[in-house]
Amino acid sequence: MNTTLANEPPFITIDPIGDHRFGDIIFINGTTNLPVTGRLTVQIIPEYFNPYFVPNSFQVATISDIPIVPAPPGANRWSVNVTDDVINHLTRGADDYLVQVQSEENSSIEIDWDFKLLPAATPQFITIDPIGNQTIGDVFFINGTTILPASQILTVFINPGTKNFCGDCPTFTINSLITPNSSGINHWSVNVTNLFNSQLDIRGSPYIVYVLNYSTWEVNNGSNVATQEFNLLPAPIVNSTVR
């Protein structure tokens, strides 16, 4: 006989889901006192909270025929990997989503859960490693990462002043070849030691570094630029005594 466990009113529960991002491996799990002969359907539905979205334009991820497995005492278990369905069937755009779990034999037996499904995390376009304070005479490299391919070149500007260019201050420009990395996050590096020893003066401390790729900078209206400030300090004065 297709009856629930312990003759209790039928129920389905969802384990806490938490927030996720597109690209995450996502399992949705829970319990039920429905019998193991039953099946469940899970739907993931974007919440229509944004007036700029038309509800009918949203896609819904539906996973059917989810088995119920025995898990004594008192409540059976169910679990489904929704990773592929989320990636392939859900429309991006809404952050808030609703999970609905229903019995396929009796659609009135259901449970809902809200969670956030955020855009996939992407590496920053260009980054600059922390520079810290520098002193005239130091061996001084400026380094960073980028998702640009190794065939591209970055241009590094070093300018005295704040985050606004100083028109009458000396500005130094140097190109950096991007070097490949197996992780997909490539690296760049410039040795500016000689620059600070011979070409830039101390009057502009602090300095600001701008790093950009000209081709992508123009396409993105200047948005893909990394900046960082640092202090350039005078070389220490060494006292000497004439004997």
Side-chain angles (χ1 to χ4, degrees), residues 11-18 26-32 40-44 76-80 97-102 110-115:
F11 69 79
I12 303 170
T13 73
I14 301 175
D15 295 346
I17 297 174
I26 306 174
F27 278 81
I28 299 177
N29 317 286
T31 65
T32 180
L40 302 177
T41 293
V42 170
Q43 286 193 317
I44 306 175
N76 294 324
R77 297 286 301 174
W78 60 270
S79 180
V80 59
Y97 289 77
L98 176 70
V99 174
Q100 292 183 333
V101 185
Q102 284 186 335
E110 65 172 4
I111 187 73
D112 298 340
W113 188 281
D114 293 307
F115 76 108

Side-chain angles (χ1 to χ4, degrees), residues 62-141:
T62 302
I63 308 96
S64 302
D65 200 34
I66 299 168
I68 299 169
V69 298
N76 294 324
R77 297 286 301 174
W78 60 270
S79 180
V80 59
N81 184 344
V82 300
T83 305
D84 290 341
D85 296 272
V86 165
I87 293 173
N88 295 329
H89 299 297
L90 283 184
T91 302
R92 276 71 162 171
D95 285 344
D96 296 306
Y97 289 77
L98 176 70
V99 174
Q100 292 183 333
V101 185
Q102 284 186 335
S103 164
E104 293 186 358
E105 289 73 30
N106 183 349
S107 61
S108 66
I109 306 171
E110 65 172 4
I111 187 73
D112 298 340
W113 188 281
D114 293 307
F115 76 108
K116 288 186 179 296
L117 189 57
L118 306 173
T122 56
Q124 289 183 264
F125 201 81
I126 301 171
T127 71
I128 304 172
D129 295 346
I131 297 173
N133 293 338
Q134 300 293 327
T135 301
I136 293 288
D138 287 350
V139 176
F140 182 11
F141 282 78

Side-chain angles (χ1 to χ4, degrees), residues 1 28 37 69 77 85 92 116 149 168 196 203 227 239:
M1 180 180 294
I28 299 177
T37 54
V69 298
R77 297 286 301 174
D85 296 272
R92 276 71 162 171
K116 288 186 179 296
D168 63 348
F196 288 117
R203 64 177 174 158
T227 64
N239 294 323

Side-chain angles (χ1 to χ4, degrees), residues 182-194:
S182 59
S183 69
I185 308 299
N186 294 326
H187 292 272
W188 60 270
S189 180
V190 290
N191 185 344
V192 295
T193 304
N194 292 334

Side-chain angles (χ1 to χ4, degrees), residues 2-3 5 33-39 66-71 76-77:
N2 191 18
T3 58
L5 293 177
N33 64 350
L34 294 172
V36 295
T37 54
R39 291 292 185 268
I66 299 168
I68 299 169
V69 298
N76 294 324
R77 297 286 301 174

